Amino acid sequence: IAAAEAARAAEEAARLAAEEEKASIIRETEMILVEGGLFTMGCTNEQGADCNDDERPHQNVRLNGFFIGKYPVTQRLWVKVMGNNPSRSSGSDLPVESVSWNDAQAFIEKLNSITDKKYRLPTEAEWEYAARGGAKSQRYRHSGGNDLNRVAWFNGNSEQNTQPVGRKQPNELGIHDMNGNVWEWVQDWKGDYDRSSLLNDPKGPANGTLRIYRGCSWQNIVSFCRISRRGGSPPEYRSPDLGLRLVLDR
């Protein structure tokens, strides 16, 4: 009887520990609600003369509401889920980096298994809408303001390294680091924009060779750190200035 009771106590302790770890991981994701709405995506007036051809023509988009991470995924969260740290620069509050799009998918799959939730990467349209401040947008050039020093880590202030998340001024929705610190993978394949009609929750092309990342990083110049700037690489590509941010459907 004593042995059976000890076994049950051990099982209960393990269950409680697993539940606490699950709750800890969910808390670490810290999501912010983005109300749905209409916006213009791409090279809008405040993006200026630095726009690239792949930001044109701007397109009109309608999105449903969603939750997005207040911060990029940190090394603390990655280690809790994956048990390793691929980053070049080590620090619990630093954004995880040196992860490919494929690595991001493996992380999300394991995260969802642990938490029983359905986290994912944002679509490119969701990322840009959130970076612009959603329905509260003040039409800034950078996410959170027009003074890049106040809102982002870039090559002019980063000391050539990632920096702890959340140290710069957030945007209109309270989201940090959407420009600067690390580029962030999104779900979409890279494709051309379409001005022909209003797009509802666009998901990008069905296939392609490059996956999109957005936001600019600690090593980029000012002109790279505009909200509409696009980057893209093969899904297996890794770089010490490339991480991710999570989304949950509302």
Side-chain angles (χ1 to χ4, degrees), residues 104-122:
Q105 298 300 323
F107 165 78
I108 289 169
E109 182 178 1
K110 191 168 182 182
L111 174 65
N112 289 343
S113 176
I114 292 169
T115 61
D116 298 318
K117 291 184 177 290
K118 293 183 178 179
Y119 295 102
R120 57 178 175 83
L121 292 177

Side-chain angles (χ1 to χ4, degrees), residues 2-24:
E5 289 178 348
R8 284 194 293 271
E11 289 176 1
E12 179 63 10
R15 185 189 68 78
L16 292 173
E19 286 296 317
E20 175 51 35
E21 181 66 7
K22 173 180 174 180
S24 172

Side-chain angles (χ1 to χ4, degrees), residues 101 121-124 127 184-188 212-214:
W101 186 92
L121 292 177
T123 65
E124 188 176 17
W127 190 96
E184 299 173 7
W185 287 111
V186 299
Q187 185 65 28
D188 305 34
I212 290 286
Y213 44 79
R214 300 294 299 266

Side-chain angles (χ1 to χ4, degrees), residues 83-158:
N84 61 59
N85 189 354
S87 305
R88 184 194 70 170
S89 301
S90 181
S92 294
D93 291 326
L94 298 178
V96 71
E97 28 88 355
S98 302
V99 294
S100 68
W101 186 92
N102 292 334
D103 295 333
Q105 298 300 323
F107 165 78
I108 289 169
E109 182 178 1
K110 191 168 182 182
L111 174 65
N112 289 343
S113 176
I114 292 169
T115 61
D116 298 318
K117 291 184 177 290
K118 293 183 178 179
Y119 295 102
R120 57 178 175 83
L121 292 177
T123 65
E124 188 176 17
E126 287 171 338
W127 190 96
E128 186 167 321
Y129 181 60
R132 287 177 178 272
K136 298 180 180 180
S137 177
Q138 297 297 305
R139 302 184 184 277
Y140 294 130
R141 178 176 169 85
H142 314 292
S143 185
N146 292 322
D147 181 352
L148 192 59
N149 263 305
R150 296 174 69 90
V151 300
W153 297 108
F154 67 109
N155 77 340
N157 63 12
S158 68

